[in-house]
C-alpha cells in the first residue's frame, strides 16, 4: 500500500510533464546528437520554470554542439546576469556571419550587393519577467534551430539569419522562476487565489530597479536596453518579434493591433506586411484549435516599446500576447490553463514567424531597403530642415541627451556660428540635427509635439518629446540661410577646467546647475567634508579672476575642514564627476553675500526613507530608488508602509512618498510622521502620495479630485459604444505640460530659466496656492506641450500648482502633482527632487 501511494504521488507529480514530442509536429525529425532541453534541465520543458542560469547553460551547450549556432554575450543586467544573443543560420553561412551582416547593412545603406543576403529575424522573449512562457519557449526554438532535420528547416536557415534574444529581462525572469517554483507542489493548484499565482510586491514583471523594460527602448536607461538597441542597429533586423503574456482569462493575440492607434510615421506597408505575417500565425493556431484574436487591442503608438521601436527604425515589429498561467496551472474561463500549453503556443507562433518571413522574403527585403532609401526624399518634402537644441549651462544633461541620440544612430552637429531659429538665438556649440539622414522617421517621432490625434485612446504614453524631458530649448529650422555647423558630428569635449591645477585657497566652490552637483555634494558630505550652500548669488575672486556664482552654488571653506587629506579627496571626487572646481582667494566678495554670511547654509547629508510595499506604485518607487542610487550615489532605506509605525524616524532627514494608496496607514505611523515633521523632517509626496499629505492637513491647499475631474464630462444619454472613448477623454495618458518655476525659490536652484516641462499622467489637481512663498511650480495658462489631453482637463490644470512647499512646525512638506523622475529619463524635472534633498530645510 505504501509503495502504491508513493507511485501515485510520483504519477501526480510527473503527469504535468510533457515530452519534447508534445511540442513539435510528429513529422519533424531531430539530430539525436544534439542535447534536448531535458538532458540539461533534468526535467521536461514546462514542468518547472526555467532559471536564467539554466537557460544560459543550455544555449551555450547547443552552440558548442551545432554547426548552425553561435552565441555571444552582448552585455550584463544590473545583477550581472549575461544578456545572450544566439545566432542561427546554415552551417556554411555561419562561417561568414560577419561578412553577411556587413553586406545586409550595406544594402540598406544604398550599396549594390552582387549576391542576395539573408533576411535577419530577431526573436525576443519575456521582456517582462513574470511572463515566462516566452523564455521557456526559447529553449525549444533553439533546439529546433540546432537539431531539426529536413527541407523546411534547411530552407529557413539558408534564407535567414535568426537572432535569438532568449531572456530580455534576466533579473525579472530569475525572480519569477524562484517565486513560481518555490510554490509548486507535487499536486498542482489551479486556484487563482493560490499564492503561486499572486506575486508579492514588487512583481517580477520589472527589472532590478523595478522598471518596465518594454518602455525603455527609446529611453535606454538600463544596460539591458542599451545592449539590445546597440545590437539592433548593428544588425538592422528585417522583422523583430516581442513575446509577452496577458490576463489568464484571455486567449492569444498577435499584431496588427488597432489600426487607428498606429504611430503616423509608420509606413502603411509595415502594417500590410504585419497583416500578411498574421495569416501564418492564424493558420498555425487554427490547426491546433487554439483561440486567438487580432486588430482589436494593443496599440502601436509609443515608439519606446519593443514592437513599435522597430517600426520607426526600418524593421517590422510584431507583438505576441499569450494568456498567462502565472505559475504552472490556473483556472480560466477557457478551462485550466497549463504552463506547458502557453509555452507551446509561443513556440508555434515562433515557427509560424519563420514560415511567414521566409515566404515573404522578397517583399520584406524590398520594404526595408525602401524605408531607408526614401528617408532623404521624404525629408526634402518637409517644411523645415531640422532641429536646433540649445546646450545651456549644464553640460552633463546636454551630453546625456546627445549620447542618447547617438545610440539611436541620429547624427547631430555642433554649430560653428551663432544662428537664429524660430526667433530664438543659438550659439556656437549648440546642436543642429538635420532631417536629411537615414533616421529621418525616428527624429520626427522623437521630437514630435503632436497634441491632436485621430484616435485619442492610448495604451501607453501619448507624449515623450526627448528635449522636453531633458529641459533643453529647441526649435525647428525652417530656413538654412546662414546656418553653419561642423563637418564632424558632435562628440564630448574635455572639461574646460581641471581640478588637478587647483592650488589651496581660502575656499573652493562649484556651480549647482551641473546635473551631478547634488551627487558631488553628497559624496563630499559622506567623506566628512564640510560644505555650505549659497542661498543668494555672489561674485568671488578666484585664481582665474572674478566669477559670478548663482544661488545654490556649493562652497567648501578651507578653514572648516579637519581631515588631513580633505583637499586630495575633494579634487578626486570633483574629477570623478567632471565638475570644475573654483579656488576662491578671499571671503570678501565683490557682489552678493560674503562667504561667512548666514545665507551660506550648512548642508547635511540626506538620510532618505523611501516608502514602498503593498499599495505603492512599484514603478515610481523603483524610479525614485534609481534616481537616488545612480545619480546621487545615495542609498535610500526602502521600507514597506506597514512598518512605518515601528521605526525610529529620528535617524532620517527625508521621507519620500511615491504614488500609491496610503489611506489605510495605521494611526501609529501617522502620529510618528506628524511628530517627525514637526521636529524638523522633510517629507516629499508625489501624486497620490502628495494627496495623502494634503488630506492629512500637513499642507493646506485646495484640490480638485480625480472624481471631480471626471464629472466635467457629461455622460447623459451616451450609448454603450462610447464607454472607451469617454474613458480616454477623462484620463491623461502620459502627456507633457508646461510649468513656470519661481527661480528665487531654493527648490528651483540650478534651473536656467523659468520654463519647465513636466510629465503628467494624473488628473489630480492642486489649485493655485494663495499662501505667499509656497508655489515653486505653477502650470501656465496654455500648458499642453505634447501628447493628448482633453480641453476640459487642460482648463482645470491651467494655472494650477504643480509643486508646493511649506513649513509644518520645524519641518517642511513638499507636494507635487506629478512624478519628476518618470522612467528615469526626465533629467530636467528630477532636479526638483535633488533640490528638496539639500535645500528644503532652507525654506
Amino acid at each position: 500500500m505504501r509503495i502504491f501511494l508513493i507511485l501515485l504521488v510520483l504519477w501526480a507529480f510527473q503527469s504535468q510533464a510533457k515530452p519534447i514530442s508534445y511540442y513539435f509536429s510528429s513529422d519533424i525529425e531531430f539530430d539525436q546528437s544534439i542535447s534536448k532541453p531535458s538532458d540539461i534541465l533534468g526535467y521536461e520543458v514546462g514542468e518547472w520554470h526555467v532559471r536564467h542560469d539554466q537557460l544560459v547553460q543550455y544555449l551555450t551547450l547547443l552552440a558548442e554542439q551545432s554547426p548552425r549556432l553561435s552565441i555571444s554575450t552582448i552585455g550584463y543586467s544590473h545583477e550581472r546576469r549575461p544578456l545572450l544573443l544566439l545566432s542561427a543560420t546554415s552551417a556554411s553561412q555561419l562561417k561568414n556571419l560577419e561578412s553577411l551582416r556587413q553586406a545586409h547593412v550595406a544594402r540598406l545603406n544604398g550599396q549594390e550587393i552582387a549576391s542576395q543576403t539573408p533576411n535577419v529575424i530577431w526573436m525576443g522573449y519575456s521582456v517582462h519577467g513574470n511572463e515566462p512562457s516566452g523564455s521557456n519557449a526559447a529553449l525549444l526554438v533553439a533546439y529546433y534551430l540546432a537539431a531539426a532535420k529536413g527541407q523546411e528547416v534547411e530552407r529557413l536557415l539558408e534564407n535567414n539569419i535568426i537572432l535569438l534574444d532568449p531572456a530580455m529581462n534576466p533579473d525579472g525572469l530569475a525572480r519569477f522562476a524562484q517565486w513560481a517554483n518555490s510554490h509548486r507542489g507535487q499536486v498542482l493548484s489551479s486556484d487563482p487565489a493560490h499564492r503561486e499565482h499572486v506575486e508579492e510586491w514588487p512583481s517580477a514583471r520589472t527589472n532590478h530597479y523595478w522598471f518596465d523594460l518594454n518602455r525603455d527602448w527609446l529611453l535606454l536607461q538600463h544596460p539591458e536596453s542599451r545592449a539590445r538597441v546597440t545590437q539592433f542597429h548593428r544588425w538592422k533586423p528585417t522583422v523583430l518579434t516581442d513575446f509577452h503574456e496577458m490576463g489568464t482569462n484571455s486567449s492569444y493575440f498577435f499584431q496588427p493591433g488597432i489600426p487607428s492607434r498606429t504611430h503616423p510615421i509608420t509606413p502603411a506597408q509595415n502594417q500590410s506586411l504585419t497583416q500578411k505575417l498574421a495569416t501564418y500565425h492564424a493558420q498555425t493556431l487554427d490547426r491546433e484549435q487554439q483561440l486567438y484574436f487580432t486588430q482589436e487591442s494593443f496599440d502601436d503608438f509609443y515608439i519606446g516599446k519593443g514592437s513599435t521601436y522597430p517600426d520607426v527604425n526600418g524593421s517590422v515589429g510584431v507583438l505576441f500576447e499569450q494568456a498567462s498561467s502565472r505559475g504552472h496551472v490556473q483556472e480560466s474561463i477557457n478551462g485550466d490553463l497549463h504552463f506547458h500549453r502557453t509555452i507551446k503556443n509561443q513556440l508555434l507562433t515562433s515557427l509560424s514567424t519563420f514560415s511567414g518571413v521566409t515566404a515573404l522574403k522578397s517583399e520584406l527585403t524590398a520594404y526595408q531597403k525602401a524605408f531607408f532609401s526614401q528617408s532623404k526624399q521624404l525629408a526634402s518634402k518637409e517644411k523645415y530642415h531640422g532641429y536646433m537644441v540649445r546646450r545651456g549651462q549644464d553640460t552633463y544633461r546636454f551630453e546625456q541627451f546627445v549620447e542618447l541620440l547617438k545610440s539611436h544612430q541620429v547624427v547631430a552637429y555642433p554649430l560653428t556660428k551663432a544662428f537664429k531659429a524660430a526667433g530664438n538665438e543659438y550659439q556656437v556649440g549648440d546642436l543642429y540635427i538635420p532631417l536629411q539622414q537615414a533616421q529621418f522617421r525616428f527624429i520626427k517621432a522623437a521630437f514630435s509635439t503632436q497634441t491632436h490625434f485621430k484616435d485619442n485612446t492610448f495604451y501607453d504614453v501619448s507624449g515623450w518629446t526627448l528635449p522636453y524631458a531633458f529641459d533643453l530649448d529647441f526649435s525647428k529650422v525652417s530656413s538654412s540661410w546662414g546656418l553653419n555647423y561642423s563637418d564632424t558630428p558632435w562628440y564630448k569635449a574635455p572639461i574646460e577646467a581641471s581640478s588637478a591645477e587647483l592650488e589651496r585657497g581660502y575656499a573652493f566652490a562649484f556651480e549647482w546647475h551641473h546635473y551631478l552637483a547634488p551627487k558631488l555634494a553628497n559624496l563630499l558630505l559622506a567623506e566628512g567634508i564640510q560644505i555650505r550652500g549659497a542661498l543668494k548669488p555672489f561674485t568671488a575672486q578666484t585664481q582665474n579672476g572674478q566669477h559670478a556664482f548663482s544661488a545654490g552654488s556649493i562652497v567648501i571653506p578651507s578653514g572648516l575642514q579637519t581631515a588631513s587629506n580633505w583637499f586630495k579627496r575633494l579634487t578626486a571626487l570633483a574629477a570623478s564627476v567632471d565638475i570644475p572646481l573654483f579656488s576662491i582667494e578671499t571671503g570678501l566678495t565683490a557682489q552678493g553675500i560674503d562667504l561667512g554670511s548666514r545665507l551660506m547654509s550648512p548642508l547635511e547629508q540626506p538620510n532618505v526613507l523611501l516608502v514602498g510595499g503593498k499599495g505603492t506604485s512599484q514603478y515610481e518607487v523603483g524610479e525614485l530608488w534609481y534616481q537616488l542610487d545612480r545619480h546621487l550615489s545615495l542609498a535610500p532605506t526602502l521600507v514597506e508602509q506597514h512598518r512605518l509605525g515601528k521605526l525610529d524616524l529620528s535617524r532620517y532627514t527625508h521621507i519620500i512618498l511615491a504614488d500609491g494608496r496610503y489611506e489605510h496607514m495605521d494611526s501609529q505611523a501617522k502620529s510618528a510622521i506628524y511628530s517627525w515633521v514637526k521636529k524638523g523632517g522633510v517629507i516629499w509626496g508625489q501624486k497620490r502620495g502628495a494627496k495623502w499629505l494634503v488630506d492629512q492637513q500637513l499642507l493646506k491647499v485646495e484640490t480638485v479630485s480625480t472624481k471631480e475631474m471626471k464629472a466635467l464630462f457629461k455622460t447623459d444619454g451616451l450609448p454603450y459604444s462610447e464607454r472607451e472613448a469617454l474613458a480616454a477623454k477623462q484620463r491623461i495618458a502620459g502627456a507633457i505640460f508646461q510649468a513656470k518655476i519661481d527661480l528665487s525659490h531654493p527648490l528651483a536652484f540650478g534651473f536656467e530659466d523659468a520654463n519647465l516641462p513636466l510629465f503628467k499622467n494624473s488628473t489630480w489637481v492642486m489649485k493655485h496656492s494663495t499662501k505667499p512663498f509656497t508655489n515653486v511650480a505653477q502650470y501656465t495658462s496654455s500648458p499642453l506641450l505634447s501628447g493628448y489631453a482633453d480641453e476640459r482637463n487642460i482648463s482645470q490644470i491651467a494655472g494650477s500648482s504643480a509643486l508646493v512647499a511649506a513649513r509644518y512646525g520645524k519641518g517642511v512638506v513638499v507636494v507635487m502633482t506629478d512624478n519628476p523622475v518618470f522612467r528615469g529619463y526626465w533629467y530636467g524635472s528630477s532636479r526638483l527632487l535633488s533640490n528638496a534633498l539639500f535645500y528644503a530645510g532652507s525654506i
Side-chain angles (χ1 to χ4, degrees):
M1 182 66 178
R2 187 175 180 181
I3 294 175
F4 172 76
L5 288 174
I6 292 173
L7 291 174
L8 183 63
V9 169
L10 287 174
W11 174 83
F13 190 73
Q14 295 292 334
S15 64
Q16 300 302 324
K18 296 293 181 181
I20 200 79
S21 58
Y22 164 79
Y23 292 102
F24 292 101
S25 172
S26 59
D27 59 358
I28 300 177
E29 184 181 353
F30 291 94
D31 183 344
Q32 296 304 307
S33 69
I34 303 294
S35 298
K36 297 188 291 293
S38 59
D39 296 335
I40 304 304
L41 302 178
Y43 58 83
E44 296 292 349
V45 173
E47 187 178 352
W48 294 86
H49 283 247
V50 70
R51 302 193 313 267
H52 184 259
D53 61 292
Q54 294 173 310
L55 189 65
V56 172
Q57 181 186 11
Y58 179 63
L59 296 188
T60 302
L61 177 63
L62 281 186
E64 293 172 357
Q65 293 179 341
S66 173
R68 303 170 176 175
L69 307 184
S70 67
I71 195 167
S72 59
T73 298
I74 60 173
Y76 290 88
S77 70
H78 283 297
E79 295 176 15
R80 301 303 295 169
R81 290 186 173 88
L83 300 164
L84 300 183
L85 194 63
L86 187 75
S87 303
T89 190
S90 65
S92 60
Q93 290 184 155
L94 191 68
K95 296 174 183 177
N96 303 303
L97 193 61
E98 177 58 20
S99 61
L100 287 171
R101 183 195 69 79
Q102 292 177 8
H104 169 70
V105 173
R107 171 170 284 157
L108 298 180
N109 289 337
Q111 298 180 33
E112 293 297 329
I113 305 298
S115 59
Q116 194 177 36
T117 57
N119 271 340
V120 178
I121 313 174
W122 186 296
M123 306 294 291
Y125 298 94
S126 298
V127 72
H128 296 140
N130 62 1
E131 298 175 6
S133 58
S135 286
N136 283 264
L139 293 163
L140 298 166
V141 176
Y143 175 66
Y144 173 81
L145 295 172
K149 293 181 177 182
Q151 291 184 352
E152 184 174 351
V153 71
E154 288 174 4
R155 180 168 171 252
L156 166 67
L157 296 171
E158 194 63 38
N159 283 277
N160 302 285
I161 296 169
I162 298 159
L163 304 174
L164 197 72
D165 188 354
M168 301 168 75
N169 179 7
D171 298 345
L173 182 74
R175 211 156 68 235
F176 189 72
Q178 174 66 21
W179 177 268
N181 289 337
S182 65
H183 295 99
R184 185 196 196 282
Q186 290 186 340
V187 179
L188 303 183
S189 173
S190 62
D191 185 347
H194 179 49
R195 184 173 167 84
E196 178 183 3
H197 309 305
V198 186
E199 287 178 90
E200 290 286 352
W201 187 101
S203 77
R205 174 184 176 87
T206 52
N207 76 339
H208 172 80
Y209 282 101
W210 310 334
F211 277 65
D212 184 340
L213 290 178
N214 195 41
R215 306 299 187 268
D216 197 46
W217 286 71
L218 171 65
L219 316 177
L220 302 184
Q221 295 303 300
H222 298 276
E224 300 93 334
S225 307
R226 291 192 290 270
R228 185 162 298 114
V229 167
T230 296
Q231 292 301 316
F232 174 91
H233 287 293
R234 185 170 176 268
W235 278 99
K236 297 190 183 302
T238 316
V239 170
L240 182 145
T241 63
D242 188 18
F243 288 86
H244 288 253
E245 291 182 6
M246 54 184 169
T248 304
N249 287 322
S250 194
S251 57
Y252 198 92
F253 169 85
F254 48 85
Q255 283 182 323
I258 298 175
S260 61
R261 298 176 193 171
T262 300
H263 196 282
I265 205 71
T266 301
Q269 192 182 358
N270 175 290
Q271 295 298 289
S272 174
L273 287 166
T274 304
Q275 181 64 61
K276 288 184 178 181
L277 288 171
T279 63
Y280 290 86
H281 312 318
Q283 290 169 8
T284 297
L285 295 175
D286 283 346
R287 285 195 297 269
E288 292 280 323
Q289 297 185 332
Q290 291 295 297
L291 297 175
Y292 59 87
F293 63 100
T294 185
Q295 291 189 305
E296 63 183 75
S297 187
F298 301 100
D299 69 11
D300 231 348
F301 188 79
Y302 170 51
I303 66 169
K305 291 192 300 185
S307 60
T308 311
Y309 182 83
D311 294 341
V312 296
N313 283 280
S315 304
V316 175
V318 185
L319 170 70
F320 298 91
E321 295 271 357
Q322 162 66 50
S324 180
S325 62
R326 284 292 190 273
H328 293 87
V329 60
Q330 187 174 171
E331 297 169 11
S332 83
I333 61 172
N334 299 313
D336 282 355
L337 180 60
H338 290 267
F339 185 40
H340 56 71
R341 181 69 249 184
T342 71
I343 295 170
K344 183 171 183 177
N345 285 347
Q346 303 283 42
L347 168 66
L348 291 172
T349 49
S350 297
L351 299 180
S352 63
T353 298
F354 295 157
S355 298
V357 173
T358 303
L360 299 170
K361 180 181 178 181
S362 59
E363 288 186 62
L364 288 163
T365 301
Y367 164 76
Q368 190 175 31
K369 184 177 180 180
F371 182 96
F372 290 104
S373 65
Q374 293 170 357
S375 292
K376 291 187 177 181
Q377 178 186 356
L378 291 171
S380 67
K381 296 179 180 179
E382 295 291 335
K383 296 179 180 179
Y384 63 105
H385 300 280
Y387 291 95
M388 293 298 311
V389 180
R390 185 172 288 121
R391 178 176 51 178
Q393 291 180 304
D394 184 0
T395 55
Y396 182 83
R397 185 160 34 94
F398 175 77
E399 288 164 0
Q400 295 303 302
F401 170 75
V402 189
E403 291 290 356
L404 179 59
L405 294 182
K406 288 176 66 177
S407 296
H408 294 297
Q409 309 300 296
V410 173
V411 184
Y413 302 89
L415 280 186
T416 55
K417 183 181 177 182
F419 181 76
K420 182 178 283 189
N424 298 311
E425 292 282 351
Y426 292 90
Q427 305 301 321
V428 173
D430 289 345
L431 201 69
Y432 175 56
I433 304 163
L435 291 183
Q436 286 277 355
Q437 55 179 296
Q439 286 296 80
F440 159 73
R441 288 183 179 87
F442 176 86
I443 294 168
K444 283 210 66 179
F447 280 73
S448 172
T449 55
Q450 184 177 358
T451 56
H452 294 89
F453 305 87
K454 182 170 61 175
D455 188 330
N456 294 326
T457 303
F458 299 93
Y459 182 72
D460 199 75
V461 299
S462 62
W464 55 81
T465 317
L466 290 183
Y468 282 147
F470 286 80
D471 190 22
L472 295 172
D473 295 334
F474 71 107
S475 304
K476 287 182 178 179
V477 177
S478 57
S479 172
S480 60
W481 188 86
L483 176 61
N484 292 277
Y485 55 91
S486 173
D487 294 333
T488 305
W490 180 92
Y491 64 94
K492 182 181 177 181
I495 60 173
E496 296 176 1
S498 172
S499 299
E501 300 171 359
L502 289 177
E503 298 177 359
R504 285 181 178 267
Y506 177 84
F508 300 90
F510 59 90
E511 295 276 14
W512 192 248
H513 59 244
H514 193 289
Y515 188 77
L516 296 182
K519 178 176 183 176
L520 178 55
N522 184 59
L523 292 172
L524 294 174
L525 290 167
E527 292 281 341
I529 295 175
Q530 300 293 310
I531 67 175
R532 297 287 186 265
L535 302 183
K536 296 283 186 180
F538 65 96
T539 299
Q541 183 66 38
T542 73
Q543 68 181 101
N544 296 318
Q546 297 230 334
H547 185 86
F549 293 90
S550 57
S553 295
I554 301 297
V555 174
I556 305 100
S558 297
L560 294 181
Q561 311 309 321
T562 56
S564 59
N565 67 340
W566 73 269
F567 179 69
K568 182 179 180 180
R569 293 300 301 142
L570 167 63
T571 54
L573 288 171
S576 72
V577 290
D578 278 359
I579 293 181
L581 287 176
F582 296 86
S583 178
I584 299 178
E585 297 178 350
T586 174
L588 186 64
T589 62
Q591 291 182 6
I593 59 175
D594 291 324
L595 268 61
S597 168
R598 284 176 291 184
L599 293 175
M600 284 288 181
S601 177
L603 299 185
E604 64 175 328
Q605 187 179 24
N607 191 356
V608 178
L609 183 69
L610 177 55
V611 179
K614 186 177 180 180
T616 62
S617 165
Q618 70 177 48
Y619 301 116
E620 290 201 10
V621 174
E623 288 156 6
L624 288 160
W625 174 27
Y626 180 84
Q627 176 70 23
L628 299 175
D629 185 34
R630 309 297 281 194
H631 294 305
L632 280 84
S633 289
L634 193 156
T637 299
L638 285 162
V639 173
E640 299 88 343
Q641 61 170 297
H642 70 81
R643 294 169 52 203
L644 278 173
K646 303 173 185 177
L647 295 180
D648 175 12
L649 298 183
S650 64
R651 65 179 294 166
Y652 305 106
T653 61
H654 293 72
I655 294 176
I656 297 178
L657 302 180
D659 186 40
R661 301 188 306 274
Y662 297 93
E663 60 269 22
H664 300 301
M665 188 182 293
D666 62 56
S667 57
Q668 186 178 359
K670 289 180 185 178
S671 297
I673 289 173
Y674 293 147
S675 175
W676 173 83
V677 176
K678 280 185 177 179
K679 292 176 182 177
V682 176
I683 190 163
W684 167 287
Q686 60 193 51
K687 296 169 65 175
R688 286 180 295 171
K691 182 181 182 299
W692 185 82
L693 293 173
V694 172
D695 290 344
Q696 301 304 310
Q697 298 188 344
L698 284 163
L699 184 143
K700 294 182 179 179
V701 63
E702 289 188 69
T703 66
V704 181
S705 69
T706 54
K707 185 177 180 180
E708 290 174 291
M709 293 288 281
K710 284 187 175 182
L712 297 172
F713 298 82
K714 293 182 179 180
T715 58
D716 295 349
L718 280 181
Y720 186 82
S721 59
E722 292 295 314
R723 290 182 71 220
E724 188 177 30
L726 173 64
K729 292 175 182 177
Q730 289 176 325
R731 67 191 287 251
I732 295 176
I736 301 172
F737 284 69
Q738 179 85 301
K740 290 280 187 181
I741 55 175
D742 177 2
L743 291 174
S744 69
H745 198 284
L747 297 192
F749 286 167
F751 287 98
E752 294 176 47
D753 61 69
N755 294 315
L756 180 64
L758 296 175
F759 181 85
K760 176 173 278 296
N761 58 1
S762 166
T763 55
W764 180 65
V765 172
M766 290 191 296
K767 293 183 179 180
H768 175 63
S769 176
T770 57
K771 188 175 181 181
F773 322 125
T774 60
N775 274 295
V776 183
Q778 180 182 3
Y779 285 111
T780 62
S781 58
S782 300
L784 183 63
L785 292 174
S786 177
Y788 170 73
D790 187 274
E791 287 296 333
R792 282 158 286 196
N793 285 330
I794 296 172
S795 65
Q796 287 292 313
I797 293 166
S800 67
S801 292
L803 180 66
V804 175
R807 282 279 177 186
Y808 183 83
K810 294 180 180 179
V812 177
V813 180
V814 185
V815 295
M816 189 170 182
T817 55
D818 310 300
N819 174 11
V821 296
F822 179 70
R823 290 184 180 166
Y825 83 113
W826 274 81
Y827 279 65
S829 56
S830 60
R831 175 172 291 279
L832 294 168
L833 176 64
S834 298
N835 285 349
L837 295 179
F838 289 93
Y839 281 110
S842 301
I843 295 173

